[in-house]
Amino acid sequence: MPPLIDENMCTHCGACVDVCQSDVFSMRVEDTVPDATYADDCWHCGACVMECPVQAITLRIPLPMMVCYK
Amino acid sequence: MKEEIIQTDVLCVGGGIAGLMAAIRASEVGAKVIVADKANTVRSGSAGLGNDHFRCYIPEVHGPDMKPNLESLVRSQVGGPMRQGVFLRTWVEKSFDIVKLWESWGIPMRYEGRYEFAGHGLPGRILASLKYAGKDQKSVLTREARKRGVTVINRVMMFDLINHNGNLVALGIDTRNDRLLVFEAKSVVLGTGLCTRLYPSPTPGHMFNIAYSPNNTGDGRAMAYRAGAALANIELTMRWAGPKYFARCGKGTWIGVLRDPEGKPIGPFVTKPDRKLGDMAADIWHSAFEDFAKSGKGPVYMDCSGISEEDYQYMRHWLEHEGNASFLDYLEEEKIDLKERPVEFSTYEMHLSGGVYYNEKGETSVRGLYAAGDELFGGISGAATFGWIAGDSAGSYSRNAALPDAEEARSHIEAKKQEIRQMLGRARGPAWKEANTALQQIMQEYAGPIRSETLLNAGLTHVRRLKEKVRTTLVAKDRHDLARSLEVINLVDLAELLFLAALERKETRAGHVRVDYPFTNPLLDKLLLVRKGDEGPVMEWKALQR
Ligand SMILES: Cc1cc2nc3c(=O)[nH]c(=O)nc-3n(C[C@H](O)[C@H](O)[C@H](O)COP(=O)(O)OP(=O)(O)OC[C@H]3O[C@@H](n4cnc5c(N)ncnc54)[C@H](O)[C@@H]3O)c2cc1C
């Protein structure tokens, strides 16, 4: 769910796997697109978005986190 | 299970702000230092995405008298009222040195060339929060630690500390590979941050949607307790506030006015967006959002309308450094324009404000064991300042201390290995999240916003039953799960202590609402210490010296 990796842009560098503080990602097979294995543990902090060298990651904020405005 | 024995002078448990500062300093005073972090020190912990307020006293800005700064700290949310006077004075005195250090390492501590103080401000009072651009602070601190020869081991969850006749042996598991790390350390600095995930998040089903790092689960507190160190005021809790449902710290960075639905400011401090002050209403009136909701007069909005374009850009700049970049991205995507749209604010989950007792030298009550930062809540400046001090103390202590021998603690280590093998090997049973949810449910109902003797006694019974289940039935399907399971074991241990301490503190104070003792008793203006005795937890009141 939350972090979405664009498979066409991803260079399989593993930066997201490296930095995610919740250990959301894993790269089960070397040199492939990382898998958001533990997506439920995402803090939506955006570290993966920031660290991705090719901007291949976006966060999808789940509906229950919707900001309520007037 | 592969076992690796690692020797070091100083082991920093947790590479957050406090842990990295401790490592840097300990290494400067000549110690061999290892930092073991659950995640990756570059982006881990509550400060991993940045912060923008650093409490400090700068004589050239505040004048020669540090008293007003000290007074504002005593009253502040970063734990002022329940600290020893000497601790607070040390903090204020030392804070500017740390600012200068950070600046010399390349963390931008100035705004447009000057020291800029803003946010968390009361009209007519001094401003004590320095604005700084902390987005990349942790890569800077990690680099500075490495430069000084510190070894950083990422993806190691430390989960136990054995005090064998005064010798400290610390255990950690590799969160990704089959490896148990056994540290023989002359001294240990705990810096694992806050204790979150004891109480439910503001959004059902989204356990990790909380204001502080959800990966800080009080492991340092649980380890300290098992090693015989005293915990202080573990029953006191705090709650942060911010945009409803998108739980994230950072309210002090907002430039707006908290208003009721009719547009009336809820507090007396500001009537229009004020760059210097923010709106202190929620810092001071902690239950404001709930009070409004309960009385049917809510919701309460953070209203930035009327903000100048310049101030708006200023706020965005700081929110980005405040670890709120993903929030800003979301607003953009949803086309929510803060200049036009007041945003609902609410209070978030409860978490512990008490923790490992440490003094102005970073010493805990166990020799060779130090702690800093949110092990007892203190924000960024507290973590940086006392991390540095604890590193200095630990490094110096290690000079004349002997290396412990893990073999002496062998039976304890084997018992832990056995527990781990069982968790990984069980065919059936609850996973960590199920246990964590059960725990949060008990905490909220029996030691939550309303506490009383009968509720606490009943809750204690439930927690003890849950503890037994957790110890004997948890199933971990892989290493990630194993780390989470060990977190839950720590959380349940702390929960039991919280219940006992909450029963003992027969008054209402700071997130500890005893409906059967509805007022704050000045005679209990004390630290309630809990430590491990031969027959279970022992409690002791310690006076506060102002
Ligand atoms: C979005 C946000 C904004 C904030 N803004 C401000 C601000 O502007 N000013 C301010 O004063 N405060 C602010 N805070 C609070 C501040 O971030 C914390 O008080 C501060 O980070 C505490 O530092 P610490 O080193 O004690 O803990 P942390 O920085 O949280 O670090 C804890 C470290 O311990 C590691 N760890 C945890 N458990 C284990 C374990 N079992 N084994 C190994 N490692 C472990 C973690 O991975 C982490 O690296 C903010 C918090 C958030 C979330």
Side-chain angles (χ1 to χ4, degrees):
Chain A
M1 199 202 0
L4 305 170
I5 304 181
D6 183 327
E7 300 196 357
N8 296 320
M9 289 168 79
C10 176
T11 61
H12 314 168
C13 73
C16 53
V17 187
D18 250 14
V19 298
C20 174
Q21 67 159 280
S22 290
D23 195 25
V24 162
F25 302 99
S26 47
M27 200 189 274
R28 293 225 165 109
V29 183
E30 274 296 298
D31 203 15
T32 52
V33 178
D35 176 48
T37 315
Y38 304 101
D40 278 359
D41 295 8
C42 179
W43 186 29
H44 302 95
C45 72
C48 54
V49 176
M50 250 178 227
E51 297 290 339
C52 176
V54 293
Q55 285 85 48
I57 307 180
T58 44
L59 281 187
R60 185 176 78 69
I61 300 300
L63 287 178
M65 285 174 72
M66 69 193 277
V67 169
C68 305
Y69 56 93
K70 227 177 186 173
Chain B
M1 189 181 320
K2 278 189 220 125
E3 185 183 310
E4 202 172 309
I5 297 197
I6 300 171
Q7 296 179 334
T8 185
D9 292 340
V10 177
L11 170 68
C12 296
V13 175
I17 298 294
L20 288 171
M21 287 298 280
I24 290 171
R25 183 59 188 162
S27 147
E28 282 183 357
V29 300
K32 178 178 180 222
V33 185
I34 294 179
V35 174
D37 195 274
K38 194 186 253 184
N40 180 333
T41 61
V42 165
R43 290 279 175 214
S44 59
S46 285
L49 275 295
N51 311 90
D52 74 335
H53 283 116
F54 194 107
R55 277 199 80 88
C56 62
Y57 164 58
I58 302 187
E60 65 183 74
V61 175
H62 295 114
D65 183 9
M66 70 173 209
K67 242 208 210 119
N69 205 294
L70 193 57
E71 273 161 21
S72 111
L73 178 60
V74 169
R75 263 194 287 270
S76 80
Q77 283 182 307
V78 289
M82 294 300 264
R83 301 278 204 170
Q84 304 285 10
V86 55
F87 181 94
L88 296 171
R89 281 191 296 280
T90 306
W91 184 348
V92 173
E93 271 165 13
K94 184 83 193 153
S95 56
F96 186 36
D97 289 343
I98 304 293
V99 168
K100 285 184 282 190
L101 264 183
W102 279 24
E103 205 173 352
S104 71
W105 297 338
I107 300 175
M109 305 302 284
R110 291 176 199 247
Y111 177 72
E112 296 183 341
R114 61 175 190 270
Y115 290 125
E116 164 95 344
F117 284 80
H120 299 293
L122 284 174
R125 295 279 173 83
I126 66 145
L127 295 170
S129 289
L130 176 72
K131 299 296 268 184
Y132 80 105
K135 194 163 101 177
D136 294 317
Q137 59 189 353
K138 295 214 60 208
S139 33
V140 172
L141 297 181
T142 304
R143 184 195 68 211
E144 291 299 318
R146 290 212 165 105
K147 232 199 237 172
R148 290 165 177 75
V150 171
T151 304
V152 177
I153 312 182
N154 287 322
R155 304 289 166 196
V156 171
M157 187 214 161
M158 302 302 302
F159 66 95
D160 206 12
L161 185 61
I162 309 165
N163 180 348
H164 190 80
N165 302 327
N167 293 321
L168 297 174
V169 174
L171 305 182
I173 56 132
D174 187 320
T175 63
R176 291 182 175 169
N177 300 294
D178 173 29
R179 184 165 67 133
L180 176 79
L181 293 93
V182 178
F183 292 92
E184 298 176 333
K186 290 181 185 169
S187 66
V188 174
V189 182
L190 297 171
T192 66
L194 270 189
C195 176
T196 66
R197 292 210 341 251
L198 259 185
Y199 289 90
S201 94
T203 45
H206 287 260
M207 188 181 274
F208 282 61
N209 178 30
I210 54 178
Y212 285 87
S213 165
N215 299 300
N216 291 344
T217 45
D219 305 321
R221 287 164 176 78
M223 289 165 71
Y225 174 77
R226 289 188 210 120
L231 304 182
N233 293 346
I234 193 93
E235 70 288 356
L236 302 187
T237 66
M238 50 183 268
R239 300 175 70 181
W240 214 253
K244 191 170 184 173
Y245 299 145
F246 199 121
R248 203 55 35 106
C249 287
K251 74 171 148 51
T253 305
W254 287 72
I255 303 173
V257 182
L258 288 163
R259 297 185 193 274
D260 72 8
E262 263 77 61
K264 195 168 152 257
I266 68 159
F269 308 119
V270 284
T271 51
K272 55 182 196 302
D274 187 308
R275 177 202 274 230
K276 281 283 173 208
L277 301 178
D279 188 348
M280 274 283 266
D283 282 33
I284 287 168
W285 183 6
H286 296 282
S287 60
F289 306 108
E290 274 162 1
D291 293 351
F292 269 82
K294 274 187 207 147
S295 64
K297 292 182 186 149
V300 172
Y301 295 87
M302 173 58 87
D303 182 8
C304 305
S305 58
I307 192 172
S308 68
E309 181 58 29
E310 200 187 327
D311 284 0
Y312 175 68
Q313 293 307 335
Y314 180 87
M315 176 172 82
R316 284 186 60 95
H317 167 76
W318 292 117
L319 279 171
E320 195 184 326
H321 281 286
E322 175 73 329
N324 281 226
S326 59
F327 175 74
L328 290 174
D329 287 350
Y330 171 83
L331 292 183
E332 211 135 282
E333 221 177 282
E334 294 294 315
K335 302 192 176 51
I336 304 170
D337 182 354
L338 295 180
K339 282 179 286 187
E340 287 169 9
R341 300 286 193 179
V343 167
E344 272 185 49
F345 260 39
S346 75
T347 329
Y348 302 138
E349 79 288 346
M350 289 169 80
H351 51 257
L352 304 193
S353 63
V356 182
Y357 177 71
Y358 61 87
N359 66 12
E360 71 284 357
K361 294 181 187 141
E363 298 163 336
T364 70
S365 56
V366 163
R367 260 171 71 82
L369 181 61
Y370 302 83
D374 284 355
E375 293 289 1
L376 199 59
F377 183 69
I380 281 302
S381 148
T385 307
F386 289 101
W388 181 256
I389 291 172
D392 192 88
S393 302
S396 309
Y397 174 86
S398 297
R399 271 190 221 124
N400 300 314
L403 259 184
D405 179 3
E407 281 319 301
E408 288 176 11
R410 184 44 60 188
S411 60
H412 188 125
I413 297 172
E414 289 307 320
K416 287 288 151 195
K417 281 165 97 172
Q418 181 61 10
E419 268 178 45
I420 289 173
R421 274 192 218 102
Q422 284 171 341
M423 274 190 275
L424 288 167
R426 279 186 197 108
R428 275 194 308 218
W432 69 269
K433 201 168 203 179
E434 191 180 319
N436 203 156
T437 307
L439 177 63
Q440 292 190 341
Q441 180 169 290
I442 296 170
M443 296 308 292
Q444 186 71 13
E445 298 283 332
Y446 298 91
I450 294 171
R451 298 173 174 182
S452 71
E453 179 139 355
T454 51
L455 281 174
L456 290 165
N457 273 321
L460 180 60
T461 310
H462 305 330
V463 156
R464 285 182 168 152
R465 285 186 190 132
L466 181 65
K467 182 171 161 177
E468 183 57 23
K469 293 264 186 225
V470 163
R471 292 260 175 210
T472 54
T473 65
L474 272 195
V475 171
K477 66 177 189 321
D478 56 21
R479 306 297 298 182
H480 176 94
D481 264 19
L482 176 62
R484 295 278 182 234
S485 304
L486 292 166
E487 290 176 347
V488 173
I489 290 175
N490 286 339
L491 285 171
V492 175
D493 280 4
L494 290 174
E496 184 182 10
L497 299 176
L498 184 150
F499 271 103
L500 291 167
L503 278 161
E504 179 72 16
R505 189 177 280 282
K506 295 180 174 57
E507 64 160 350
T508 287
R509 172 189 302 264
H512 169 68
V513 178
R514 284 285 304 253
V515 285
D516 44 355
Y517 296 96
F519 59 89
T520 300
N521 180 349
L523 299 177
L524 298 183
D525 228 4
K526 292 178 180 172
L527 298 169
L528 176 54
L529 301 182
V530 50
R531 59 162 67 84
K532 197 166 104 183
D534 292 336
E535 280 146 39
V538 179
M539 258 166 286
E540 180 199 336
W541 289 95
K542 187 179 168 81
L544 280 167
Q545 250 89 46
R546 304 296 180 184

